[in-house]
Coordinates of all heavy atoms in Angstrom, one line a residue:
M1 N 41.1 -34.9 4.6 CA 39.9 -34.2 5.1 C 39.8 -34.4 6.6 O 39.9 -35.5 7.1 CB 38.7 -34.6 4.4 CG 37.5 -33.8 4.7 SD 36.2 -34.1 3.5 CE 34.9 -34.6 4.5
A2 N 39.7 -33.3 7.3 CA 39.6 -33.3 8.8 C 38.3 -34.0 9.2 O 37.2 -33.8 8.6 CB 39.7 -31.9 9.3
Q3 N 38.4 -34.8 10.3 CA 37.2 -35.5 10.8 C 36.6 -34.7 11.9 O 37.4 -34.1 12.7 CB 37.7 -36.9 11.3 CG 36.6 -37.8 11.7 CD 37.0 -39.2 12.0 OE1 38.2 -39.4 12.3 NE2 36.1 -40.1 12.0
V4 N 35.3 -34.7 12.0 CA 34.6 -34.0 13.1 C 35.0 -34.8 14.4 O 34.8 -36.0 14.4 CB 33.1 -34.0 12.9 CG1 32.4 -33.4 14.1 CG2 32.8 -33.2 11.6
P5 N 35.4 -34.1 15.5 CA 35.7 -34.8 16.7 C 34.5 -35.6 17.2 O 33.3 -35.2 17.1 CB 36.1 -33.7 17.7 CG 36.4 -32.6 16.8 CD 35.6 -32.7 15.6
A6 N 34.7 -36.8 17.8 CA 33.7 -37.6 18.3 C 32.9 -36.9 19.4 O 31.7 -37.1 19.6 CB 34.3 -38.9 18.9
A7 N 33.6 -36.0 20.2 CA 32.8 -35.3 21.2 C 31.8 -34.4 20.6 O 30.6 -34.3 21.1 CB 33.8 -34.4 22.0
A8 N 32.1 -33.8 19.5 CA 31.1 -32.9 18.8 C 29.9 -33.8 18.3 O 28.7 -33.4 18.3 CB 31.7 -32.2 17.7
V9 N 30.2 -35.0 17.7 CA 29.2 -35.9 17.2 C 28.3 -36.3 18.4 O 27.0 -36.3 18.2 CB 29.8 -37.1 16.5 CG1 28.8 -38.1 16.1 CG2 30.6 -36.7 15.3
A10 N 28.9 -36.7 19.5 CA 28.1 -37.2 20.6 C 27.2 -36.0 21.2 O 26.0 -36.2 21.5 CB 29.0 -37.7 21.7
V11 N 27.8 -34.9 21.4 CA 27.0 -33.7 21.9 C 25.9 -33.4 20.9 O 24.7 -33.2 21.4 CB 27.9 -32.5 22.1 CG1 27.1 -31.2 22.4 CG2 28.8 -32.8 23.3
T12 N 26.1 -33.4 19.7 CA 25.1 -33.1 18.7 C 24.0 -34.2 18.7 O 22.8 -33.8 18.5 CB 25.7 -33.0 17.3 OG1 26.7 -32.0 17.3 CG2 24.7 -32.7 16.2
G13 N 24.4 -35.4 18.9 CA 23.4 -36.5 19.0 C 22.4 -36.3 20.2 O 21.2 -36.4 20.0
I14 N 22.9 -35.9 21.3 CA 22.1 -35.7 22.5 C 21.2 -34.5 22.3 O 20.0 -34.5 22.5 CB 22.9 -35.6 23.8 CG1 23.5 -37.0 24.0 CG2 22.0 -35.2 25.0 CD1 24.5 -37.0 25.2
V15 N 21.8 -33.3 22.0 CA 21.1 -32.1 21.8 C 20.1 -32.2 20.6 O 19.0 -31.8 20.7 CB 22.0 -30.9 21.7 CG1 21.3 -29.6 21.4 CG2 22.8 -30.7 23.0
G16 N 20.7 -32.7 19.5 CA 19.9 -32.8 18.3 C 18.7 -33.8 18.4 O 17.6 -33.5 17.9
G17 N 19.0 -34.9 19.1 CA 17.9 -35.9 19.3 C 16.8 -35.3 20.1 O 15.6 -35.5 19.8
Y18 N 17.1 -34.6 21.1 CA 16.1 -33.9 21.9 C 15.3 -32.9 21.1 O 14.1 -32.8 21.2 CB 16.6 -33.3 23.2 CG 15.6 -32.6 24.0 CD1 14.5 -33.3 24.6 CD2 15.6 -31.2 24.1 CE1 13.5 -32.6 25.3 CE2 14.6 -30.5 24.7 CZ 13.5 -31.2 25.3 OH 12.5 -30.6 26.0
A19 N 16.1 -32.1 20.4 CA 15.4 -31.0 19.6 C 14.5 -31.6 18.6 O 13.4 -31.1 18.4 CB 16.5 -30.1 19.0
V20 N 14.9 -32.6 17.9 CA 14.1 -33.2 16.8 C 12.8 -33.8 17.5 O 11.7 -33.6 17.0 CB 14.9 -34.3 16.0 CG1 14.0 -35.1 15.2 CG2 15.9 -33.6 15.2
A21 N 13.0 -34.5 18.6 CA 11.8 -35.1 19.3 C 10.9 -34.0 19.7 O 9.6 -34.2 19.6 CB 12.3 -35.9 20.4
R22 N 11.4 -33.0 20.3 CA 10.5 -31.9 20.8 C 9.8 -31.2 19.7 O 8.6 -30.9 19.8 CB 11.4 -30.9 21.7 CG 10.5 -29.8 22.3 CD 11.3 -29.0 23.2 NE 10.5 -28.0 23.8 CZ 10.5 -27.6 25.0 NH1 11.2 -28.3 25.9 NH2 9.7 -26.7 25.4
W23 N 10.5 -30.8 18.7 CA 9.9 -29.9 17.7 C 9.1 -30.7 16.6 O 8.1 -30.2 16.1 CB 10.9 -29.0 17.0 CG 11.4 -28.0 17.9 CD1 10.6 -27.2 18.8 CD2 12.7 -27.5 18.2 NE1 11.3 -26.3 19.5 CE2 12.7 -26.5 19.2 CE3 13.9 -27.9 17.6 CZ2 13.8 -25.8 19.6 CZ3 15.1 -27.2 18.1 CH2 15.0 -26.2 19.1
S24 N 9.4 -32.0 16.4 CA 8.6 -32.8 15.5 C 7.4 -33.4 16.2 O 6.5 -34.0 15.6 CB 9.5 -33.8 14.8 OG 9.8 -34.9 15.8
K25 N 7.5 -33.5 17.6 CA 6.6 -34.2 18.4 C 6.5 -35.7 18.1 O 5.5 -36.4 18.3 CB 5.2 -33.6 18.3 CG 5.1 -32.1 18.7 CD 3.7 -31.6 18.8 CE 3.6 -30.1 19.2 NZ 4.6 -29.4 19.7
K26 N 7.7 -36.2 17.6 CA 7.8 -37.6 17.3 C 9.1 -38.1 18.1 O 10.2 -37.9 17.6 CB 7.9 -37.8 15.8 CG 6.7 -37.4 15.1 CD 6.8 -37.8 13.6 CE 5.7 -37.3 12.8 NZ 4.4 -37.1 13.3
R27 N 8.9 -38.7 19.2 CA 10.0 -39.1 20.0 C 10.9 -40.1 19.3 O 12.1 -40.2 19.4 CB 9.5 -39.7 21.3 CG 8.8 -38.7 22.2 CD 8.3 -39.3 23.5 NE 9.4 -39.7 24.3 CZ 9.3 -40.3 25.5 NH1 8.1 -40.6 26.0 NH2 10.4 -40.6 26.2
A28 N 10.2 -41.0 18.5 CA 11.0 -42.0 17.7 C 12.0 -41.4 16.8 O 13.1 -41.8 16.6 CB 10.1 -42.9 17.0
L29 N 11.6 -40.3 16.2 CA 12.5 -39.6 15.2 C 13.7 -39.0 16.0 O 14.8 -39.1 15.5 CB 11.7 -38.5 14.5 CG 12.4 -37.8 13.3 CD1 12.8 -38.8 12.3 CD2 11.4 -36.8 12.7
G30 N 13.4 -38.5 17.2 CA 14.6 -38.0 18.0 C 15.5 -39.2 18.4 O 16.7 -39.0 18.4
G31 N 14.9 -40.3 18.6 CA 15.7 -41.5 19.0 C 16.5 -42.0 17.8 O 17.7 -42.4 18.0
V32 N 16.1 -41.8 16.6 CA 16.9 -42.1 15.4 C 18.1 -41.2 15.4 O 19.2 -41.7 15.1 CB 16.0 -42.0 14.1 CG1 16.9 -42.1 12.9 CG2 15.0 -43.1 14.1
V33 N 17.9 -39.9 15.6 CA 19.0 -39.0 15.6 C 20.0 -39.4 16.7 O 21.2 -39.4 16.5 CB 18.5 -37.5 15.8 CG1 19.7 -36.6 16.0 CG2 17.7 -37.1 14.6
L34 N 19.5 -39.6 17.9 CA 20.3 -40.0 19.0 C 21.1 -41.3 18.7 O 22.3 -41.3 19.0 CB 19.5 -40.2 20.3 CG 20.2 -40.6 21.6 CD1 20.8 -39.4 22.2 CD2 19.2 -41.3 22.5
A35 N 20.5 -42.3 18.2 CA 21.1 -43.6 17.9 C 22.2 -43.4 16.8 O 23.3 -44.0 16.9 CB 20.1 -44.6 17.5
A36 N 21.8 -42.7 15.7 CA 22.8 -42.5 14.6 C 24.0 -41.8 15.0 O 25.2 -42.2 14.7 CB 22.1 -41.8 13.5
A37 N 23.9 -40.7 15.8 CA 25.1 -40.0 16.3 C 25.9 -40.9 17.3 O 27.1 -40.9 17.3 CB 24.6 -38.7 16.9
G38 N 25.2 -41.6 18.1 CA 25.8 -42.5 19.1 C 26.7 -43.6 18.4 O 27.8 -43.9 18.8
A39 N 26.1 -44.1 17.3 CA 26.8 -45.1 16.6 C 28.1 -44.6 15.9 O 29.1 -45.2 15.9 CB 25.9 -45.8 15.5
A40 N 27.9 -43.4 15.3 CA 29.0 -42.7 14.6 C 30.1 -42.4 15.6 O 31.3 -42.6 15.4 CB 28.5 -41.5 13.9
A41 N 29.7 -41.8 16.8 CA 30.7 -41.5 17.8 C 31.4 -42.8 18.3 O 32.6 -42.8 18.5 CB 30.0 -40.8 19.0
A42 N 30.6 -43.8 18.5 CA 31.2 -45.1 19.0 C 32.3 -45.6 18.1 O 33.3 -46.1 18.5 CB 30.1 -46.1 19.3
Q43 N 32.0 -45.5 16.8 CA 33.0 -46.0 15.8 C 34.3 -45.2 15.9 O 35.4 -45.7 15.9 CB 32.4 -45.9 14.4 CG 33.3 -46.4 13.3 CD 32.7 -46.3 11.9 OE1 31.6 -45.7 11.7 NE2 33.4 -46.8 11.0
Q44 N 34.2 -43.9 16.0 CA 35.4 -43.0 16.2 C 36.1 -43.3 17.5 O 37.3 -43.4 17.5 CB 35.0 -41.5 16.2 CG 34.6 -41.1 14.8 CD 34.4 -39.6 14.8 OE1 33.3 -39.1 14.6 NE2 35.4 -38.8 15.0
W45 N 35.3 -43.5 18.6 CA 35.9 -43.9 19.9 C 36.7 -45.2 19.8 O 37.8 -45.3 20.3 CB 34.9 -44.0 21.0 CG 34.2 -42.7 21.3 CD1 34.7 -41.5 21.3 CD2 32.8 -42.6 21.8 NE1 33.8 -40.6 21.7 CE2 32.6 -41.2 22.0 CE3 31.8 -43.4 22.0 CZ2 31.4 -40.7 22.5 CZ3 30.6 -42.9 22.5 CH2 30.4 -41.6 22.7
R46 N 36.2 -46.1 19.1 CA 36.8 -47.4 18.9 C 38.1 -47.3 18.1 O 39.2 -47.8 18.5 CB 35.9 -48.4 18.2 CG 36.4 -49.9 18.3 CD 35.3 -50.9 17.8 NE 34.4 -50.4 16.8 CZ 33.1 -50.0 17.0 NH1 32.6 -50.1 18.3 NH2 32.3 -49.6 16.1
Q47 N 38.1 -46.5 17.1 CA 39.3 -46.3 16.2 C 40.4 -45.5 17.0 O 41.6 -45.8 16.8 CB 38.9 -45.5 15.0 CG 38.1 -46.3 14.0 CD 37.6 -45.4 12.8 OE1 37.7 -44.2 12.9 NE2 37.0 -46.0 11.8
S48 N 40.0 -44.5 17.8 CA 41.0 -43.7 18.4 C 41.5 -44.2 19.8 O 42.6 -43.9 20.2 CB 40.6 -42.3 18.5 OG 39.4 -42.1 19.3
A49 N 40.6 -44.9 20.5 CA 40.9 -45.2 21.9 C 40.7 -46.7 22.2 O 41.0 -47.1 23.4 CB 40.1 -44.4 22.9
G50 N 40.3 -47.5 21.3 CA 40.1 -48.9 21.6 C 38.7 -49.3 22.0 O 37.9 -48.5 22.3
A51 N 38.5 -50.6 22.0 CA 37.1 -51.2 22.3 C 36.6 -50.9 23.7 O 35.5 -50.6 23.9 CB 37.1 -52.7 22.0
K52 N 37.5 -51.1 24.7 CA 37.1 -50.9 26.1 C 36.7 -49.4 26.3 O 35.6 -49.2 27.0 CB 38.2 -51.3 27.0 CG 38.4 -52.7 27.1 CD 39.5 -53.1 28.2 CE 39.7 -54.6 28.2 NZ 40.7 -54.9 29.2
T53 N 37.5 -48.5 25.8 CA 37.1 -47.1 26.0 C 35.8 -46.7 25.2 O 35.0 -46.0 25.7 CB 38.3 -46.2 25.6 OG1 39.4 -46.5 26.4 CG2 37.9 -44.7 25.8
A54 N 35.7 -47.3 24.1 CA 34.5 -47.1 23.3 C 33.3 -47.6 24.0 O 32.2 -46.9 24.0 CB 34.6 -47.7 21.9
A55 N 33.4 -48.8 24.6 CA 32.3 -49.3 25.4 C 31.9 -48.4 26.6 O 30.7 -48.2 26.8 CB 32.6 -50.7 25.8
A56 N 33.0 -48.0 27.2 CA 32.7 -47.1 28.4 C 32.1 -45.8 28.0 O 31.1 -45.3 28.6 CB 34.0 -46.8 29.1
L57 N 32.5 -45.2 26.9 CA 32.0 -43.9 26.4 C 30.5 -44.2 25.9 O 29.7 -43.3 26.1 CB 32.9 -43.3 25.4 CG 34.1 -42.7 25.9 CD1 35.1 -42.3 24.8 CD2 33.8 -41.4 26.8
S58 N 30.3 -45.3 25.2 CA 29.0 -45.6 24.8 C 28.0 -45.7 25.9 O 26.9 -45.3 25.9 CB 29.0 -46.9 23.9 OG 29.7 -46.7 22.7
A59 N 28.4 -46.4 27.0 CA 27.6 -46.5 28.2 C 27.4 -45.2 28.8 O 26.2 -44.9 29.3 CB 28.3 -47.5 29.2
T60 N 28.4 -44.3 28.8 CA 28.2 -43.0 29.3 C 27.2 -42.2 28.5 O 26.3 -41.5 29.1 CB 29.5 -42.2 29.3 OG1 30.5 -43.0 30.1 CG2 29.4 -40.8 29.8
Y61 N 27.2 -42.3 27.2 CA 26.3 -41.7 26.3 C 24.8 -42.1 26.6 O 23.9 -41.3 26.8 CB 26.6 -42.1 24.9 CG 25.9 -41.4 23.7 CD1 26.2 -40.1 23.3 CD2 24.9 -42.1 23.1 CE1 25.5 -39.5 22.3 CE2 24.2 -41.5 22.0 CZ 24.5 -40.2 21.6 OH 23.8 -39.6 20.6
V62 N 24.6 -43.4 26.7 CA 23.3 -43.9 27.1 C 22.8 -43.5 28.5 O 21.7 -43.1 28.7 CB 23.3 -45.5 26.9 CG1 21.9 -46.1 27.4 CG2 23.5 -45.9 25.4
A63 N 23.8 -43.6 29.4 CA 23.4 -43.2 30.8 C 23.1 -41.7 30.9 O 22.2 -41.3 31.6 CB 24.6 -43.5 31.7
A64 N 23.8 -40.9 30.1 CA 23.5 -39.4 30.0 C 22.1 -39.2 29.5 O 21.4 -38.4 30.0 CB 24.5 -38.7 29.2
F65 N 21.8 -39.9 28.4 CA 20.4 -39.8 27.9 C 19.4 -40.1 28.9 O 18.4 -39.4 29.2 CB 20.3 -40.6 26.6 CG 18.9 -40.8 26.2 CD1 18.1 -39.8 25.6 CD2 18.3 -42.1 26.4 CE1 16.8 -40.0 25.3 CE2 16.9 -42.3 26.0 CZ 16.2 -41.2 25.4
A66 N 19.6 -41.3 29.6 CA 18.6 -41.7 30.6 C 18.6 -40.8 31.8 O 17.5 -40.5 32.3 CB 19.0 -43.1 31.0
G67 N 19.8 -40.3 32.2 CA 19.8 -39.4 33.3 C 19.3 -38.0 33.1 O 18.9 -37.3 34.0
S68 N 19.2 -37.7 31.8 CA 18.6 -36.3 31.6 C 17.1 -36.2 31.9 O 16.6 -35.2 32.2 CB 18.8 -36.0 30.1 OG 18.0 -36.7 29.2
H69 N 16.4 -37.4 31.9 CA 15.0 -37.3 32.2 C 14.7 -37.0 33.6 O 14.0 -36.0 33.9 CB 14.4 -38.7 31.8 CG 14.4 -38.9 30.3 ND1 15.5 -39.4 29.6 CD2 13.4 -38.7 29.4 CE1 15.2 -39.4 28.3 NE2 13.9 -39.1 28.2
P70 N 15.3 -37.6 34.6 CA 15.0 -37.2 36.0 C 15.6 -35.8 36.3 O 15.1 -35.1 37.1 CB 15.6 -38.3 36.9 CG 16.5 -39.1 36.0 CD 16.0 -38.9 34.6
L71 N 16.8 -35.6 35.7 CA 17.4 -34.3 35.9 C 16.5 -33.1 35.4 O 16.4 -32.1 36.0 CB 18.8 -34.2 35.2 CG 19.6 -33.0 35.4 CD1 19.9 -32.7 36.9 CD2 20.9 -33.1 34.6
A72 N 15.8 -33.4 34.3 CA 14.9 -32.4 33.7 C 13.8 -32.0 34.7 O 13.4 -30.8 34.7 CB 14.3 -32.9 32.4
K73 N 13.4 -32.9 35.5 CA 12.4 -32.6 36.5 C 12.8 -31.6 37.6 O 12.1 -30.9 38.2 CB 11.8 -33.8 37.2 CG 11.1 -34.7 36.2 CD 10.6 -36.0 36.8 CE 9.9 -36.8 35.7 NZ 9.3 -38.0 36.3
K74 N 14.2 -31.5 37.8 CA 14.7 -30.6 38.8 C 15.2 -29.3 38.2 O 15.0 -28.3 38.8 CB 15.9 -31.3 39.5 CG 15.5 -32.5 40.2 CD 16.7 -33.2 40.9 CE 16.4 -34.5 41.5 NZ 15.8 -34.5 42.8
V75 N 15.8 -29.3 37.0 CA 16.4 -28.1 36.4 C 15.7 -27.6 35.1 O 16.1 -26.6 34.6 CB 17.9 -28.3 36.2 CG1 18.6 -28.6 37.5 CG2 18.2 -29.3 35.2
G76 N 14.8 -28.4 34.6 CA 14.2 -28.1 33.3 C 14.8 -28.9 32.2 O 16.0 -29.4 32.3
A77 N 14.1 -29.0 31.1 CA 14.5 -29.9 30.0 C 15.8 -29.5 29.3 O 16.7 -30.2 29.2 CB 13.4 -30.1 29.0
W78 N 15.8 -28.2 28.8 CA 17.0 -27.8 28.1 C 18.3 -27.8 28.9 O 19.3 -28.2 28.5 CB 16.8 -26.5 27.4 CG 16.0 -26.6 26.1 CD1 14.7 -26.2 25.9 CD2 16.4 -27.3 24.9 NE1 14.3 -26.6 24.6 CE2 15.4 -27.2 24.0 CE3 17.6 -27.9 24.5 CZ2 15.5 -27.7 22.7 CZ3 17.7 -28.4 23.2 CH2 16.7 -28.3 22.3
P79 N 18.2 -27.2 30.2 CA 19.4 -27.3 31.0 C 19.9 -28.7 31.2 O 21.1 -28.9 31.3 CB 19.0 -26.6 32.3 CG 17.9 -25.7 31.9 CD 17.1 -26.4 30.8
A80 N 19.0 -29.6 31.4 CA 19.4 -31.0 31.6 C 20.0 -31.6 30.4 O 21.1 -32.2 30.5 CB 18.1 -31.9 32.0
V81 N 19.5 -31.3 29.2 CA 20.0 -31.9 28.0 C 21.4 -31.3 27.8 O 22.4 -32.0 27.5 CB 19.1 -31.6 26.8 CG1 19.8 -31.8 25.5 CG2 17.8 -32.4 26.9
F82 N 21.5 -29.9 27.9 CA 22.9 -29.3 27.8 C 23.9 -29.8 28.8 O 25.1 -30.0 28.5 CB 22.8 -27.8 27.8 CG 22.1 -27.2 26.6 CD1 21.1 -26.2 26.7 CD2 22.5 -27.6 25.3 CE1 20.5 -25.7 25.6 CE2 21.9 -27.0 24.2 CZ 20.9 -26.1 24.3
G83 N 23.4 -30.0 30.0 CA 24.3 -30.5 31.1 C 24.9 -31.9 30.8 O 26.1 -32.1 30.9
V84 N 24.0 -32.8 30.5 CA 24.5 -34.2 30.2 C 25.3 -34.2 28.9 O 26.3 -35.0 28.8 CB 23.4 -35.2 30.2 CG1 22.7 -35.2 31.6 CG2 22.4 -35.0 29.1
A85 N 24.9 -33.4 27.9 CA 25.6 -33.4 26.6 C 27.1 -32.9 26.9 O 28.0 -33.4 26.3 CB 24.9 -32.5 25.6
G86 N 27.2 -31.8 27.7 CA 28.5 -31.3 28.1 C 29.3 -32.3 28.8 O 30.5 -32.5 28.5
G87 N 28.7 -33.1 29.7 CA 29.5 -34.2 30.4 C 30.0 -35.2 29.4 O 31.1 -35.7 29.5
V88 N 29.2 -35.6 28.5 CA 29.6 -36.6 27.5 C 30.7 -36.0 26.6 O 31.7 -36.7 26.3 CB 28.4 -37.1 26.6 CG1 28.8 -37.9 25.4 CG2 27.4 -37.9 27.5
G89 N 30.5 -34.8 26.2 CA 31.5 -34.1 25.4 C 32.9 -34.1 26.1 O 33.9 -34.4 25.5
V90 N 32.9 -33.7 27.3 CA 34.2 -33.7 28.1 C 34.8 -35.0 28.2 O 36.0 -35.2 28.0 CB 33.9 -33.0 29.5 CG1 35.1 -33.2 30.4 CG2 33.6 -31.5 29.3
A91 N 34.0 -36.0 28.5 CA 34.5 -37.4 28.7 C 35.1 -37.9 27.3 O 36.1 -38.5 27.3 CB 33.4 -38.3 29.1
S92 N 34.4 -37.6 26.2 CA 34.8 -38.0 24.9 C 36.2 -37.3 24.6 O 37.1 -38.0 24.1 CB 33.8 -37.7 23.9 OG 34.3 -38.0 22.6
W93 N 36.2 -36.1 24.8 CA 37.5 -35.4 24.6 C 38.6 -35.9 25.4 O 39.7 -36.2 24.9 CB 37.3 -33.9 24.8 CG 38.6 -33.1 24.6 CD1 39.1 -32.7 23.4 CD2 39.6 -32.8 25.6 NE1 40.4 -32.1 23.6 CE2 40.7 -32.2 24.9 CE3 39.7 -33.0 26.9 CZ2 41.8 -31.7 25.6 CZ3 40.8 -32.5 27.6 CH2 41.8 -31.9 26.9
A94 N 38.4 -36.1 26.7 CA 39.4 -36.6 27.6 C 39.9 -38.0 27.3 O 41.1 -38.3 27.4 CB 38.9 -36.5 29.0
L95 N 39.0 -38.9 26.9 CA 39.4 -40.3 26.7 C 39.7 -40.7 25.3 O 40.4 -41.7 25.1 CB 38.3 -41.2 27.3 CG 38.0 -41.0 28.7 CD1 36.8 -41.9 29.1 CD2 39.2 -41.4 29.6
A96 N 39.2 -39.9 24.3 CA 39.4 -40.3 22.9 C 39.9 -39.2 22.0 O 40.9 -39.3 21.3 CB 38.1 -40.9 22.4
D97 N 39.3 -38.1 22.0 CA 39.6 -37.0 21.0 C 41.0 -36.4 21.3 O 41.7 -36.1 20.4 CB 38.5 -35.9 21.0 CG 37.2 -36.4 20.4 OD1 37.3 -37.3 19.6 OD2 36.2 -35.8 20.8
R98 N 41.3 -36.2 22.6 CA 42.6 -35.6 22.9 C 43.7 -36.5 22.4 O 44.7 -36.1 21.9 CB 42.6 -35.4 24.4 CG 43.9 -34.8 24.9 CD 43.9 -34.5 26.4 NE 43.6 -35.7 27.1 CZ 43.9 -35.9 28.4 NH1 44.5 -35.0 29.0 NH2 43.6 -37.0 29.0
R99 N 43.5 -37.8 22.6 CA 44.5 -38.8 22.1 C 44.6 -38.8 20.6 O 45.7 -38.9 20.1 CB 44.0 -40.2 22.6 CG 45.0 -41.3 22.5 CD 44.4 -42.6 23.0 NE 44.4 -42.6 24.5 CZ 43.8 -43.5 25.2 NH1 43.2 -44.5 24.6 NH2 43.9 -43.4 26.5
R100 N 43.5 -38.6 19.9 CA 43.6 -38.6 18.4 C 44.3 -37.3 18.0 O 45.1 -37.3 17.1 CB 42.2 -38.5 17.8 CG 42.2 -38.4 16.3 CD 40.7 -38.4 15.8 NE 40.1 -39.7 16.0 CZ 39.9 -40.6 15.0 NH1 40.1 -40.2 13.8 NH2 39.3 -41.7 15.2
Q101 N 44.1 -36.2 18.7 CA 44.8 -34.9 18.3 C 46.3 -35.0 18.6 O 47.1 -34.5 17.8 CB 44.2 -33.7 19.1 CG 42.8 -33.3 18.7 CD 42.2 -32.3 19.5 OE1 42.7 -31.9 20.6 NE2 41.1 -31.7 19.1
A102 N 46.6 -35.7 19.7 CA 48.1 -35.8 20.0 C 48.8 -36.7 19.0 O 50.0 -36.4 18.7 CB 48.2 -36.4 21.4
T103 N 48.2 -37.7 18.4 CA 48.8 -38.5 17.4 C 48.8 -37.9 16.1 O 49.6 -38.3 15.2 CB 48.2 -39.9 17.4 OG1 46.8 -39.8 17.0 CG2 48.3 -40.7 18.7
A104 N 47.9 -37.0 15.8 CA 47.8 -36.3 14.5 C 48.9 -35.2 14.3 O 49.2 -34.8 13.2 CB 46.4 -35.7 14.3
V105 N 49.4 -34.7 15.4 CA 50.3 -33.6 15.4 C 51.7 -34.0 15.0 O 52.3 -35.0 15.0 CB 50.4 -32.8 16.7 CG1 51.4 -31.8 16.7 CG2 49.0 -32.2 16.9

């Protein structure tokens, strides 16, 4: 069975976490979504690219979440969330998912 790329999991965690927090009006619930997706992505990053890369991508994931808050004040909430999620997705693909695809072929 094909595995969902870690980039998709990470992007979904950031976007989904924000969406759940916004629409449920429960920030903690959005945090659960964010954390669960981050943990799942980190496990895939560790398997495909090693512990150091997984740690770097995990730090990027957390920094993107934190950085979306001040960015939202400049560009708006949704554009900030989509922007940082895209950055995490590209980093994940470049450092882990691309490597996994190359070894699967």
Side-chain angles (χ1 to χ4, degrees):
M1 187 161 122
Q3 188 173 19
V4 175
V9 174
V11 167
T12 300
I14 293 172
V15 174
Y18 175 69
V20 167
R22 181 171 179 136
W23 288 319
S24 72
K25 299 191 182 345
K26 296 184 185 334
R27 293 178 73 183
L29 191 56
V32 168
V33 172
L34 181 78
Q43 182 179 7
Q44 286 185 250
W45 291 329
R46 192 172 29 261
Q47 289 172 352
S48 63
K52 287 183 183 180
T53 301
L57 287 169
S58 295
T60 301
Y61 185 81
V62 171
F65 165 71
S68 70
H69 291 81
L71 183 60
K73 292 179 182 185
K74 296 180 189 279
V75 299
W78 280 110
V81 169
F82 287 133
V84 300
V88 169
V90 168
S92 176
W93 177 82
L95 298 175
D97 292 333
R98 181 174 58 155
R99 195 177 282 173
R100 179 180 291 251
Q101 288 176 348
T103 59
V105 174

